[in-house]
Amino acid sequence: MTLVLNTLEGDYSKQIKELLAEKDSEVEIVNTAEMKIAHCVGCNTCWLKTPGVCAIKDDYEIILKKLVATDNLWVVADTKFGFVDYRGKQVLDRLVPMLNMYIEIRDGWERHQLRYHPLNFGVIYKGNGNKELLEEWSERVAMNLGGHSLGVLALDAHQEEASPAEANENVVENAADAAGTTAALPEHIVILSGSPRVKKNSNTNKIIQAFAEGLEKAGITHKLYSLSNRTEWDEAREAFLTNDNIIIAFPLFVECMPSLLLEFLSTLPTERTQPAKLSFILHGGFDEGHQLRLGEKFLQTLPAQLGCTFGGTLVRGGSFMLRMRDNSYIKKMTDKMLAAYTEMGKSFALNGNFFTPEAKKFTSYEKNPKIGVLLFNLIFKRIVKKNFNRMAQEWGCTEPLDRKPY
């Protein structure tokens, strides 16, 4: 069974079936543009309170029920910034209930366990897409779903592929300039939180607070806008366009940025009346740095497409536990991490970018060492599972975390 989620407005059934004719015989196409589908808000309800059931009551449950009977999943999407647009990313971000909270080492990577069966995944894109980036994204998404990549196909055989070569050359030049010149250092920084979680529950917000503490100690002021609150979008857009130093901080969502942040960025004009430097803070729940590298790669070419120069990306994993700092043991564990972000705030104030040696070292280890994998499988896996079960009970969960509701 093959399920195709068409996020484009209009009926593209004929073109889609022609593209997949040699790959799949039994294809069901769902036109999601006609459905009510919200952004994933990262609330973890589908993992810790109502396992397998999303807290958002919209039309996406129809898709989840179809996915349970599906072997192959294709997403058809328009493109923005060389990547899928926010509608295409939105239907992927909402896949979270197909996994459960328990963690395992699979293919040498930290993964969440599959709630059902493996899913193969592919992308059909319309417009000017960076096929190389989309292919790597498709592979990573498929690995997370326990399957393999079905590939990346252009909806229109005549459409052009975005070439990242020129943009990447600019990134290298910008990095060299930033590291080797004495450009004016920032006095005020606009920070956008791209987390879809409400501010009080946001790990990103805790990271920003720690980072901003370092800025303040160095005499740098800042203004924060939380994009989870749509009433701040107009003011955030104005701040983005009228300030010359901007940082966007966000968590990794399905191997790239959250669909909510993609939607906000798509509302910005690509030309500016004044130059600006755009930098990023990218974090993820898993400890490994390589989990974040595709997102980092996407960010390298994004500033130029928004009329900005690139100020680098601060990359770090291990942020999952930040949300539970009311626990004294977890607070002690995470104090060190937040103190490191404060130091990076000081560093940014002094250097104006994330191209410094300390920023490159900030990620910590790239992959779990062999001894770490061994200890996890022998000891820590059971401890982590026990802690997740305890957390679920505190949330009022009465069902097994790996249950299959559909």
Side-chain angles (χ1 to χ4, degrees), residues 168-185:
N168 282 334
E169 288 176 5
N170 291 335
V171 168
V172 173
E173 290 175 2
N174 289 340
D177 290 344
T181 65
T182 55
L185 296 178

Side-chain angles (χ1 to χ4, degrees), residues 25-306:
S25 57
E26 188 179 354
V27 176
E28 179 181 358
I29 300 174
V30 176
N31 294 314
T32 64
E34 302 169 1
M35 304 171 73
K36 182 181 178 182
I37 298 176
H39 296 288
C40 175
V41 297
C43 65
N44 287 340
T45 296
C46 66
W47 280 352
L48 287 170
K49 191 171 185 179
T50 56
V53 178
C54 183
I56 302 172
K57 303 308 175 186
D58 59 9
D59 293 335
Y60 199 82
E61 188 174 37
I62 298 170
I63 294 173
L64 285 173
K65 291 178 178 179
K66 292 180 181 295
L67 287 171
V68 173
T70 294
D71 299 304
N72 302 318
L73 171 64
W74 290 87
V75 168
V76 184
D78 207 342
T79 48
K80 187 72 175 179
F81 310 121
F83 190 60
V84 294
D85 71 353
Y86 78 88
R87 294 180 182 86
K89 188 61 166 53
Q90 189 176 47
V91 297
L92 262 296
D93 287 357
R94 292 287 300 277
L95 273 177
V96 177
M98 294 296 290
L99 307 172
N100 70 51
M101 194 64 170
Y102 297 141
I103 296 172
E104 62 186 8
I105 306 294
R106 183 159 25 98
D107 303 320
W109 294 42
E110 295 177 36
R111 309 278 189 195
H112 285 284
Q113 289 183 358
L114 305 179
R115 190 176 298 278
Y116 297 98
H117 56 270
L119 269 177
N120 306 316
F121 175 70
V123 178
I124 300 174
Y125 71 95
K126 181 178 181 290
N128 196 20
N130 180 342
K131 193 172 182 182
E132 179 185 332
L133 182 74
L134 291 172
E135 285 175 342
E136 185 177 347
W137 182 62
S138 177
E139 290 171 0
R140 283 174 171 253
V141 171
M143 288 171 65
N144 280 332
L145 298 174
H148 65 266
S149 174
L150 299 169
V152 174
L153 305 173
L155 186 64
D156 185 347
H158 302 292
Q159 67 194 41
E160 294 183 2
E161 179 186 338
S163 174
E166 183 178 346
N168 282 334
E169 288 176 5
N170 291 335
V171 168
V172 173
E173 290 175 2
N174 289 340
D177 290 344
T181 65
T182 55
L185 296 178
E187 296 181 359
H188 178 77
I189 297 174
V190 167
I191 304 178
L192 305 182
S193 171
S195 171
R197 280 185 184 170
V198 294
K199 193 172 181 179
K200 67 176 182 178
N201 293 331
S202 170
N203 295 336
T204 304
N205 187 58
K206 293 178 176 62
I207 287 169
I208 291 172
Q209 287 179 334
F211 182 84
E213 184 179 337
L215 294 177
E216 291 167 1
K217 288 180 178 179
I220 307 299
T221 61
H222 78 282
K223 174 67 176 177
L224 171 64
Y225 299 91
S226 296
L227 300 183
S228 60
N229 183 357
R230 283 184 178 266
T231 63
E232 295 187 22
W233 278 29
D234 287 341
E235 191 176 345
R237 266 190 293 266
E238 179 66 19
F240 186 95
L241 294 171
T242 56
N243 284 267
D244 60 5
N245 215 306
I246 304 151
I247 296 176
I248 300 178
F250 64 92
L252 191 75
F253 262 51
V254 190
E255 299 299 324
C256 203
M257 67 169 50
S259 58
L260 179 77
L261 177 53
L262 272 175
E263 181 183 0
F264 173 80
L265 295 178
S266 70
T267 69
L268 296 173
T270 57
E271 296 183 359
R272 299 177 57 92
T273 57
Q274 66 178 58
K277 182 183 295 179
L278 178 57
S279 310
F280 302 94
I281 298 174
L282 171 62
H283 69 96
F286 289 137
D287 295 324
E288 304 162 304
H290 71 157
Q291 302 264 11
L292 299 151
R293 295 308 180 191
L294 178 74
E296 181 185 31
K297 184 183 294 186
F298 169 66
L299 296 176
Q300 288 179 347
T301 59
L302 181 59
Q305 298 179 76
L306 294 168

Side-chain angles (χ1 to χ4, degrees), residues 270 365 368:
T270 57
Y365 57 85
N368 278 316

Side-chain angles (χ1 to χ4, degrees), residues 178 184-186 189 245 277 279 311 346-356:
L185 296 178
I189 297 174
N245 215 306
K277 182 183 295 179
S279 310
K346 293 178 184 177
S347 173
F348 191 88
L350 293 174
N351 297 283
N353 61 71
F354 291 130
F355 297 124
T356 59

